Amino acid sequence: KNEVEQSPQNLTAQEGEFITINCSYSVGISALHWLQQHPGGGIVSLFMLSSGKKKHGRLIATINIQEKHSSLHITASHPRDSAVYICAVSSGGGADGLTFGKGTHLIIQP
Amino acid sequence: EAQVTQNPRYLITVTGKKLTVTCSQNMNHEYMSWYRQDPGLGLRQIYYSMNVEVTDKGDVPEGYKVSRKEKRNFPLILESPSPNQTSLYFCASSFLSSGSYGYTFGSGTRLTVV
């Protein structure tokens, strides 16, 4: 069973700062997912990665398969980025579902 | 609009009273799954279904049942709810993209069992 570790658990930063959230996993995967959950809200899929790097607006996700590590970066952070960011991995194509990290609670102060 | 719809959003019930949380998707996805989210434990998979009439247990299936009689619907059934099933529940449907499954989640159902 894959173990997924995220760091930090909590992060408070000032508006405009560059944010990095890290995720490591223990067993080889078919894909890694970054999810966003706003307070009281549903879960939104931000990225699905199997290699390399993806960018969407101010969000960048990278993965290093050899090191079993991924990072989520937020450039020019804004208070609306405040949310819980969750890393999840799928194995065997993902047909058996996701294994989740416990999430990183991000607060961006104006 | 492509979406996963869960109902109800909020539910308070009493111990032992059977309930069903519905989940429906309009994207013709084959794969659907249920998760519960608890403070300190994060998200954990309850059940998943790879297609109609094909279901399997996830990590925490005890006390839950599911059915997949048609592709779009995947209800979660609690036949005799107990307080330890108080949780936030999410349904998801998945699509195959470049060899891996991408996920779309419902808005969640907050269940309280008293």
Side-chain angles (χ1 to χ4, degrees):
Chain A
K1 178 98 179 131
N2 226 324
E3 301 290 330
V4 180
E5 298 287 338
Q6 279 185 244
S7 63
Q9 286 188 338
N10 298 284
L11 178 57
T12 300
Q14 296 298 121
E15 183 174 356
E17 286 188 38
F18 181 82
I19 303 298
T20 296
I21 300 170
N22 296 300
C23 175
S24 61
Y25 52 93
S26 58
V27 179
I29 60 172
S30 59
L32 183 142
H33 306 253
W34 281 105
L35 311 171
Q36 181 192 55
Q37 185 176 26
H38 280 102
I43 297 170
V44 175
S45 179
L46 297 174
F47 295 103
M48 181 175 69
L49 292 161
S50 55
S51 64
K53 177 180 175 178
K54 287 189 176 180
K55 185 175 189 289
H56 185 254
R58 295 180 294 105
L59 301 178
I60 304 165
T62 64
I63 188 168
N64 185 318
I65 296 294
Q66 286 73 30
E67 295 186 3
K68 297 186 178 61
H69 181 269
S70 175
S71 294
L72 176 69
H73 305 287
I74 305 175
T75 62
S77 59
H78 190 276
R80 65 175 174 266
D81 297 324
S82 298
V84 176
Y85 293 84
I86 303 168
C87 172
V89 299
S90 54
S91 305
D96 56 350
L98 295 172
T99 302
F100 301 85
K102 289 190 169 50
T104 295
H105 188 196
L106 174 65
I107 297 173
I108 304 297
Q109 295 179 333
Chain B
E1 179 190 352
Q3 60 185 359
V4 176
T5 303
Q6 284 181 237
N7 281 298
R9 290 292 308 276
Y10 302 91
L11 178 60
I12 302 174
T13 190
V14 296
T15 299
K17 185 177 180 183
K18 181 179 179 180
L19 67 91
T20 299
V21 184
T22 63
C23 175
S24 180
Q25 51 98 0
N26 61 0
M27 296 166 282
N28 201 36
H29 289 169
E30 291 186 347
Y31 182 85
M32 297 184 74
S33 47
W34 275 103
Y35 303 88
R36 62 178 287 174
Q37 185 178 36
D38 301 289
L41 297 175
L43 284 151
R44 294 175 291 167
Q45 184 175 241
I46 304 171
Y47 268 96
Y48 63 95
S49 169
M50 294 182 67
N51 213 325
V52 175
E53 302 292 0
V54 180
T55 64
D56 209 344
K57 297 176 181 178
D59 297 320
V60 288
E62 296 78 19
Y64 304 95
K65 283 178 58 177
V66 293
S67 70
R68 188 94 182 271
K69 292 184 169 52
E70 46 189 345
K71 201 172 192 178
R72 62 183 292 123
N73 295 323
F74 189 44
L76 181 70
I77 303 157
L78 286 73
E79 298 229 326
S80 183
S82 62
N84 65 11
Q85 293 177 298
T86 293
S87 188
L88 179 58
Y89 292 86
F90 289 97
C91 177
S93 72
S94 313
F95 56 94
L96 191 60
S97 173
S98 302
S100 296
Y101 282 84
Y103 285 74
T104 301
F105 289 84
S107 299
T109 296
R110 187 167 293 280
L111 172 65
T112 303
V113 183
V114 298

